[in-house]
Amino acid sequence: MIKLTSIDRSEALRYLACRDEKSIGETASVYLDECESRLLEVITPKYLYKYFPLGSESGRPVIKGCTLPLEGKEIAGHLEGCTGIILLCGTVGSGADRLIRVLQIEDMAKAVIADAFAGAAVEQVMNEAESIIKAEFPGKYFTWRYSPGYGDFPIEIQKQLLDVLDAPRKIGLCTSDSRMLAPVKSVTAVMGVSDAPLPPRKRGCVTCNMRERCQFRKRGLHCGS
């Protein structure tokens, strides 16, 4: 389990499409403090991962000892040169979902702010988990996290990825028939592992299948990926 004592406010503000705290007004600034504090009381950050060696079949990467398919041209390019793969998931727990639902009744503005903080919190969980994992593989090199739904990497594999990690039983992280994660503030991803330095990989808007509808891009911002 990972312990968060604070939540990255700049990240939360980006989810709120605000460039800085000064732009949101005095009342909203007070709400930031309240929502962060209430979230920290209820979240239960957790993560899981498994490492598998990578092979190749017909020029495509294949996970040895695992039936999870690596479909799509972009994930193949992302893992080029890698000898292993890490399957990873993280969540801040169902307490965040419950708090947001309560705030939607109490005060919708607070609910929106809490939702942004929860999104920032799960990103922190994933960043800390990544740091912990990398420390357990000294001398190795890693790609950045690539999540189902990026580019042409199908989001449909999320359930199978969670099953491989035994996430429903171990940390209560599941996915619905509509491919939504539950708890909502959760993330699944893969990272390539290599014995040698890797060339830079494409990331960000160019690989995102939401780029044409993204509210961040319309405001001249980005989600941080």
Side-chain angles (χ1 to χ4, degrees):
M1 184 181 294
I2 290 171
K3 177 68 174 178
L4 297 185
T5 57
S6 64
I7 301 173
D8 187 339
R9 186 158 297 197
S10 62
E11 185 79 0
L13 287 168
R14 183 160 58 226
Y15 285 127
L16 291 168
C18 298
R19 295 189 179 277
D20 54 52
E21 194 168 337
K22 295 177 182 178
S23 65
I24 65 173
E26 185 175 339
T27 299
S29 184
V30 173
Y31 284 2
L32 291 177
D33 293 334
E34 178 186 342
C35 291
E36 179 183 14
S37 177
R38 292 178 71 172
L39 264 175
L40 288 171
E41 290 176 356
V42 300
I43 60 175
T44 52
K46 298 175 183 177
Y47 75 96
L48 291 172
Y49 85 91
K50 282 187 179 180
Y51 169 85
F52 294 92
L54 270 181
S56 180
E57 194 173 283
S58 301
R60 300 192 54 77
V62 176
I63 306 175
K64 295 180 180 179
C66 176
T67 59
L68 184 75
L70 296 173
E71 299 175 1
K73 292 181 179 179
E74 291 176 20
I75 190 63
H78 187 72
L79 295 172
E80 186 175 355
C82 294
T83 56
I85 189 170
I86 285 171
L87 309 183
L88 171 65
C89 69
T91 183
V92 293
S94 58
D97 292 354
R98 288 194 295 270
L99 176 61
I100 291 168
R101 287 195 295 268
V102 168
L103 291 175
Q104 286 171 342
I105 298 171
E106 291 181 7
D107 188 318
M108 186 54 72
K110 290 181 181 179
V112 171
I113 292 172
D115 186 86
F117 267 110
V122 74
E123 188 65 20
Q124 280 180 248
V125 170
M126 295 300 285
N127 288 340
E128 288 201 33
E130 183 177 329
S131 296
I132 293 168
I133 292 166
K134 287 180 176 179
E136 296 176 359
F137 291 83
K140 299 293 186 179
Y141 299 85
F142 300 82
T143 67
W144 53 273
R145 299 190 304 268
Y146 203 101
S147 289
Y150 283 3
D152 62 354
F153 191 32
I155 198 168
E156 288 80 4
I157 72 159
Q158 284 199 131
K159 183 180 186 305
Q160 192 172 347
L161 191 156
L162 292 176
D163 287 344
V164 170
L165 294 174
D166 199 13
R169 182 180 68 87
K170 289 184 174 178
I171 61 173
L173 178 52
C174 307
T175 184
S176 68
D177 292 339
S178 60
R179 304 189 297 274
M180 289 287 293
L181 292 172
V184 174
K185 298 305 179 182
S186 306
V187 173
T188 60
V190 304
M191 292 194 303
V193 184
S194 173
D195 298 325
L198 292 163
R201 310 295 201 207
K202 289 182 180 179
R203 70 181 302 180
C205 300
V206 70
T207 64
C208 181
N209 58 14
M210 289 291 291
R211 58 185 175 272
E212 301 303 326
R213 305 188 297 276
C214 179
Q215 297 302 310
F216 292 110
R217 294 185 75 202
K218 289 179 181 179
R219 294 179 172 87
L221 301 169
H222 62 88
C223 69
S225 296

